Amino acid sequence: MVLKVFFPQCCNRADSGLMVGRWIPSHESAVVLAVIHYPFIPGQVKVYLQQMRAQSGVDLCILGSWSLPKEEEEGMESFLQDLSTIFPQRRWLQVRRTLGRTGFTCQVACRDQGEKEKDEEEEKVIFVHYEQKKVMQSQLHPIKESNSQSESELRQVFQTVASSGPLFFMDRYDDGPLKSTHWQTEGREASILVELLRQASTPLCILLTWILTVCTSVCDLRMFRFYPLSFLCSKLSSCVQLSYRAEHMRMLSNRNAAMQHQHFMRKANVLLSVMVDVALGLLLMSWLYRDQNITTLSNTVLPAAHRVAKELEELLQWLMGAPAGLKMNRALDQVLGRFFLYHIHLWISYVQLMSPFIEGLLWYGGLSACLGLSFALSLLSDAVALFTFHIYCFYVYGARLYYLKVYGLSSLWRLFRGKKWNVLRQRVDSCSYDVDQLFIGTLLFTVLLFLLPTTALYYLVFTLLRLLVVLFQGVLHLSVDFINSFPLFAVLLRLLRPYRLAEGVKFRVLCEEEGSALHLLMEMNPLSCSAVVQTYRTPTYSCYPKDSWSALVKKLFVGELIYPWKHKSTKTD
Amino acid sequence: MMEDETFTDISGKPITLDCHSHSSFCREFNISSPKVSIGKVMVYTCSVWLVAYAVFFFTQNTAFLSSAIIITLVGMMFYIHFVKVDHESLLVIDSLGIQVSSTYASGREITTFIEMSKIKDIVINEAVYMHQIIYYLCVLLKDSSEPSVVSSVVPLFESSKPRLNCLVKVYKSCQEILSKCQ
């Protein structure tokens, strides 16, 4: 078996001393975490190790000795060799390096005599050089939370380095009895921004919690529980978006720091997405409130509504005549056409009534964009839904009529052939009808059949209109969904610090010399951008169509009402 | 210790196999494909531009010329960055794992490292493709929970497609190392 020693790059030029680290038993490998320099007192080293073991929870031990002899130190080799008796280990590594040569040599001394007899030849050693800072901060994907011993070797190495934080607190400016070399020897790294954020976060969290409690107490008023308002609130996408963001704020204002990687990434993504959302909303507001844009917009609403009403009236007049050369049933045509025309007349008078208030509404509605662009977009989608309510009504009327007709036709068709639908057995059975039943059934069947083209045409026209509106609303919802779920922090991290999100590692063979062991350099293999987005997407109340295309077409054909954008409730995972 | 040999791939183009033995338990195999030939590039570019110029001659619209230039440039960049593989390498390290990497003509490298605990074996498989039978080298992976079941197959040297004589050499070399640790 080949012995693998994971050696940190920062210790390549460390002074002679003892190597501290951990053995990974099942894979015949050792991870070197730091080098404690000569001079030291072995008793103090043991005490220090015990302290570190307790603080970090990692099974640290002295792996062996490291010697990089300089001119003055001659007796170093023998001294370090004698140390193997003081620190009892099953295996003792003696790593030697001479200045001027890049390769290390390693000798493994086994404690048990029995093992020594088995391996007559020298044990083969591989030195894997790793950059300690990068390995410590990186996270291997796919993320597994288990802490079992049967994990792969690389995961155990990463875990060992990541949990050994307390070992890296002692730097060379400390006046302690021991001096060690590791990645923070030159001084502990910290960022001013992070420290400032940490200080500012506590009062901010308290403020946020207070605001949220006020808002939730308002929302929990009794009047919102009763049927009309609660139904309305569940249908309006702006209310849904508001509750979704409130959920996020609640998660952010939680003062406990995120312990696990997933939790931390989720918090960071949400925070960044909320900030970008608010920034875009403020940008929209700055455009809206300048140069009388609101007045221009509100002045176009009334003419646009008139135009839409006129187009619809023309459409209905066309249907009431002979549309596309088809001959309609005059009476039904007139009834349906006049009914819909009256509906449009009602709607246009409603819009005219509302017209003086539109500018005010736009002004106050635009203020809501300060909560975020997603909120403004969902408000727009709700406004579109309200303004095209008449199209929705037309669609429902047409669809219901058509559905009843198709249902009646299919049932009477069965009667025409002498069959009946057995509800109990859910199948078609034969049935003997009386003569008068057959007579009336056939009459009704004929009537319905000849009225079918008229109803079908009205249904087709209004379904197409409704689908147009649904498409527009869908685009708005998809963009809101994108703003909600895109993991901006994760993508930025992947672009700026690619070693933090690692898919795996890659090895490179470093230059070899005669007589030295094999040296490899271990680097992080960063995760691809698409995998980053997939892993760290924030779950949303996604509104993807719940029917497949074939089911949708079938529903349209039969006349069932379609609700293509159905909101899923957010479930916390 | 380095060895350099020329073989052919399954379509007859010459490829080079480079075996490098870093130590007794670490070997690297590099298969390089032929580079992009300047003659072919010139032929394609000239034909696209001639066609664009002919269209311009008839319609007098400069948009054709600029779009031809843009298409040529973008197409070439796309080709050397995403399509043309310069060399593929296989690094076998005893008791650590196998690293497979392919380098594109623009220098982009895609690397995958497979740990030894996941590797069941390296074998040469045959595949029937239309009217020919091709051989390819692949790594059989296993799940640590079920060591006797092959969970997936990773083909090696997919773009270079060497023939059997080259594959046999690589196979023998790999098996020398793998048989020692398993």
Side-chain angles (χ1 to χ4, degrees):
Chain A
M1 256 311 240
V2 180
L3 184 65
K4 293 155 273 192
V5 179
F6 289 86
F7 201 78
Q9 276 189 315
C10 46
C11 296
N12 275 352
R13 294 183 174 275
D15 293 333
S16 317
L18 290 173
M19 302 192 295
V20 178
R22 177 182 172 227
W23 281 101
I24 303 179
S26 47
H27 297 277
E28 292 279 320
S29 40
V31 183
V32 176
L33 294 165
V35 173
I36 299 183
H37 301 306
Y38 174 79
F40 50 77
I41 303 175
Q44 279 178 336
V45 173
K46 283 197 188 171
V47 165
Y48 177 67
L49 261 191
Q50 219 156 1
Q51 259 178 341
M52 288 297 119
R53 234 178 265 152
Q55 272 181 11
S56 61
V58 177
D59 190 16
L60 299 167
C61 61
I62 300 284
L63 297 170
S65 66
W66 158 257
S67 81
L68 178 65
K70 301 204 170 70
E71 292 94 34
E72 316 86 52
E73 302 158 350
E74 268 108 27
M76 184 61 65
E77 295 280 337
S78 45
F79 170 66
L80 290 173
Q81 218 157 351
D82 295 333
L83 281 175
S84 66
T85 49
I86 309 180
F87 297 100
Q89 289 297 324
R90 202 169 71 85
R91 267 192 282 210
W92 182 258
L93 300 168
Q94 283 168 295
V95 183
R96 217 171 296 128
R97 181 187 176 186
T98 41
L99 278 173
R101 300 185 62 188
T102 37
F104 303 169
T105 50
C106 176
Q107 266 177 328
V108 184
C110 287
R111 221 173 144 68
D112 309 334
Q113 288 304 321
E115 290 225 21
K116 208 163 179 178
E117 282 167 23
K118 248 194 283 175
D119 314 327
E120 282 113 10
E121 71 241 10
E122 221 177 272
E123 230 180 280
K124 295 176 259 193
V125 181
I126 303 181
F127 280 98
V128 180
H129 294 261
Y130 68 96
E131 206 176 312
Q132 215 163 36
K133 172 181 172 197
K134 291 193 175 168
V135 170
M136 182 155 181
Q137 293 178 340
S138 108
Q139 167 73 32
L140 275 181
H141 294 78
I143 304 172
K144 287 198 195 123
E145 307 290 347
S146 66
N147 277 329
S148 62
Q149 283 302 102
S150 63
E151 271 181 33
S152 75
E153 176 178 16
L154 283 174
R155 267 184 204 272
Q156 290 205 30
V157 169
F158 275 64
Q159 222 166 15
T160 312
V161 179
S163 340
S164 315
L167 195 61
F168 306 134
F169 283 170
M170 196 168 66
D171 58 33
R172 68 186 179 117
Y173 303 105
D174 278 340
D175 271 331
L178 297 171
K179 297 241 177 290
S180 65
T181 306
H182 45 76
W183 70 281
Q184 284 190 325
T185 321
E186 298 297 322
R188 282 185 36 205
E189 256 185 35
S191 149
I192 292 190
L193 265 169
V194 171
E195 289 302 320
L196 279 175
L197 277 175
R198 210 166 282 173
Q199 295 296 323
S201 67
T202 322
L204 270 178
C205 282
I206 298 179
L207 182 67
L208 209 59
T209 328
W210 182 78
I211 294 178
L212 274 176
T213 34
V214 165
C215 291
T216 40
S217 59
V218 163
C219 290
D220 279 341
L221 283 177
R222 296 246 333 177
M223 72 169 186
F224 283 114
R225 295 266 177 81
F226 291 133
Y227 174 63
L229 273 173
S230 68
F231 176 72
L232 208 64
C233 285
S234 70
K235 284 290 172 201
L236 282 177
S237 54
S238 25
C239 293
V240 178
Q241 174 72 9
L242 206 62
S243 63
Y244 177 69
R245 279 292 189 219
E247 211 32 73
H248 277 174
M249 293 304 210
R250 211 166 288 143
M251 177 181 60
L252 280 179
S253 63
N254 188 354
R255 262 185 281 156
N256 307 332
M259 276 296 111
Q260 286 174 346
H261 174 84
Q262 281 272 45
H263 203 189
F264 168 70
M265 294 296 283
R266 175 76 52 86
K267 264 189 159 181
N269 281 328
V270 163
L271 182 66
L272 213 60
S273 108
V274 166
M275 279 169 47
V276 168
D277 203 8
V278 169
L280 285 174
L282 288 173
L283 208 71
L284 179 69
M285 270 173 75
S286 75
W287 172 82
L288 205 61
Y289 286 105
R290 141 167 68 115
D291 291 343
Q292 305 281 342
N293 276 330
I294 290 196
T295 330
T296 338
L297 269 177
S298 57
N299 284 341
T300 56
V301 166
L302 197 57
H306 271 290
R307 177 103 189 284
V308 167
K310 204 157 76 73
E311 296 284 336
L312 276 177
E313 271 173 29
E314 272 181 27
L315 184 71
L316 281 169
Q317 293 292 353
W318 181 68
L319 282 177
M320 290 206 308
L326 294 168
K327 197 134 188 278
M328 299 278 108
N329 178 295
R330 203 145 171 76
L332 185 62
D333 216 0
Q334 295 284 325
V335 161
L336 284 176
R338 289 229 186 93
F339 175 63
F340 288 140
L341 273 172
Y342 185 60
H343 221 268
I344 293 180
H345 172 75
L346 273 179
W347 178 71
I348 202 73
S349 4
Y350 163 71
V351 169
Q352 270 174 334
L353 207 73
M354 290 275 293
S355 59
F357 304 114
I358 288 183
E359 189 172 338
L361 274 175
L362 259 180
W363 206 91
Y364 288 111
L367 277 182
S368 71
C370 72
L371 285 176
L373 184 68
S374 55
F375 193 62
L377 283 177
S378 41
L379 211 64
L380 180 67
S381 145
D382 284 337
V384 162
L386 278 177
F387 272 108
T388 55
F389 190 61
H390 59 309
I391 296 185
Y392 179 60
C393 286
F394 288 173
Y395 164 70
V396 172
Y397 301 150
R400 276 277 171 249
L401 212 61
Y402 179 73
Y403 176 69
L404 276 172
K405 185 152 286 191
V406 167
Y407 186 64
L409 266 177
S410 57
S411 166
L412 289 172
W413 171 247
R414 277 183 230 120
L415 178 135
F416 200 61
R417 286 161 46 222
K419 301 215 187 280
K420 182 173 98 145
W421 175 254
N422 190 339
V423 186
L424 226 62
R425 296 288 181 95
Q426 295 287 315
R427 65 172 186 206
V428 180
D429 277 342
S430 60
C431 171
S432 60
Y433 290 101
D434 292 338
V435 178
D436 41 0
Q437 281 177 328
L438 276 176
F439 181 61
I440 296 187
T442 316
L443 259 179
L444 282 173
F445 175 73
T446 327
V447 166
L448 282 177
L449 184 66
F450 289 128
L451 289 179
L452 185 64
T454 320
T455 332
L457 203 68
Y458 274 94
Y459 171 66
L460 187 73
V461 167
F462 291 125
T463 311
L464 283 174
L465 278 174
R466 170 83 186 134
L467 282 179
L468 215 74
V469 171
V470 159
L471 208 73
F472 181 65
Q473 268 191 308
V475 165
L476 284 174
H477 283 179
L478 274 177
S479 40
V480 167
D481 200 40
F482 177 72
I483 296 177
N484 279 343
S485 71
F486 190 68
L488 199 60
F489 180 72
V491 169
L492 280 177
L493 201 65
R494 164 68 182 85
L495 291 173
L496 300 173
R497 302 254 186 278
Y499 59 83
R500 290 210 41 186
L501 302 169
E503 187 191 23
V505 292
K506 44 187 183 197
F507 290 93
R508 201 154 52 94
V509 180
L510 296 173
C511 65
E512 328 120 35
E513 292 169 349
E514 288 305 315
S516 65
L518 178 70
H519 292 267
L520 298 170
L521 177 66
M522 183 168 88
E523 292 166 319
M524 305 293 138
N525 203 4
L527 208 51
S528 62
C529 284
S530 54
V532 166
V533 173
Q534 219 164 356
T535 323
Y536 291 109
R537 282 188 72 222
T538 328
T540 60
Y541 54 95
S542 69
C543 52
Y544 298 116
K546 62 186 181 83
D547 290 322
S548 64
W549 283 110
S550 54
L552 198 68
V553 169
K554 182 162 171 280
K555 274 195 178 170
L556 282 176
F557 194 67
V558 170
E560 270 179 48
L561 290 172
I562 46 172
Y563 302 102
W565 307 109
K566 195 91 180 171
H567 286 184
K568 262 200 307 210
S569 59
T570 42
K571 283 194 73 151
T572 50
D573 48 8
Chain B
M1 211 181 14
M2 279 182 70
E3 284 165 28
D4 231 337
E5 269 184 64
T6 326
F7 292 93
T8 51
D9 74 353
I10 56 178
S11 14
K13 295 192 203 96
I15 54 173
T16 333
L17 171 67
D18 195 352
C19 299
H20 196 155
S21 184
H22 297 284
S23 117
S24 64
F25 47 84
C26 174
R27 298 219 183 126
E28 187 169 356
F29 307 96
N30 232 313
I31 294 191
S32 349
S33 315
K35 309 276 189 269
V36 180
S37 78
I38 192 83
K40 252 189 169 172
V41 167
M42 282 184 63
V43 163
Y44 279 131
T45 324
C46 289
S47 54
V48 167
W49 287 354
L50 275 175
V51 166
Y53 196 70
V55 176
F56 168 71
F57 186 68
F58 286 113
T59 59
Q60 293 296 324
N61 190 357
T62 52
F64 286 107
L65 292 178
S66 29
S67 61
I69 293 177
I70 292 177
I71 289 177
T72 323
L73 282 174
V74 169
M76 255 201 294
M77 286 200 294
F78 183 79
Y79 181 69
I80 60 173
H81 197 71
F82 291 106
V83 175
K84 178 86 183 100
V85 171
D86 190 49
H87 60 263
E88 294 177 297
S89 83
L90 175 72
L91 176 69
V92 183
I93 309 168
D94 189 8
S95 85
L96 201 56
I98 290 185
Q99 173 165 293
V100 181
S101 97
S102 47
T103 318
Y104 289 84
S106 63
R108 180 170 84 116
E109 231 184 272
I110 298 195
T111 324
T112 328
F113 177 73
I114 310 171
E115 290 185 64
M116 204 45 105
S117 55
K118 292 210 181 76
I119 296 178
K120 193 159 189 290
D121 203 358
I122 295 190
V123 293
I124 299 184
N125 256 350
E126 332 178 287
V128 179
Y129 180 67
M130 307 269 251
H131 54 277
Q132 29 175 320
I133 298 182
I134 49 178
Y135 297 92
Y136 61 97
L137 194 67
C138 58
V139 183
L140 302 175
L141 300 181
K142 67 176 188 224
D143 227 353
S144 44
S145 50
E146 272 180 276
S148 56
V149 172
V150 175
S151 65
S152 61
V153 172
V154 176
L156 304 173
F157 302 125
E158 276 183 82
S159 313
S160 325
K161 301 196 195 70
R163 285 200 182 173
L164 190 59
N165 42 9
C166 176
L167 290 179
V168 164
K169 242 185 127 196
V170 177
Y171 172 78
K172 281 196 181 141
S173 225
C174 286
Q175 286 293 347
E176 273 171 23
I177 300 184
L178 283 184
S179 54
K180 267 191 262 172
C181 71
Q182 273 172 358

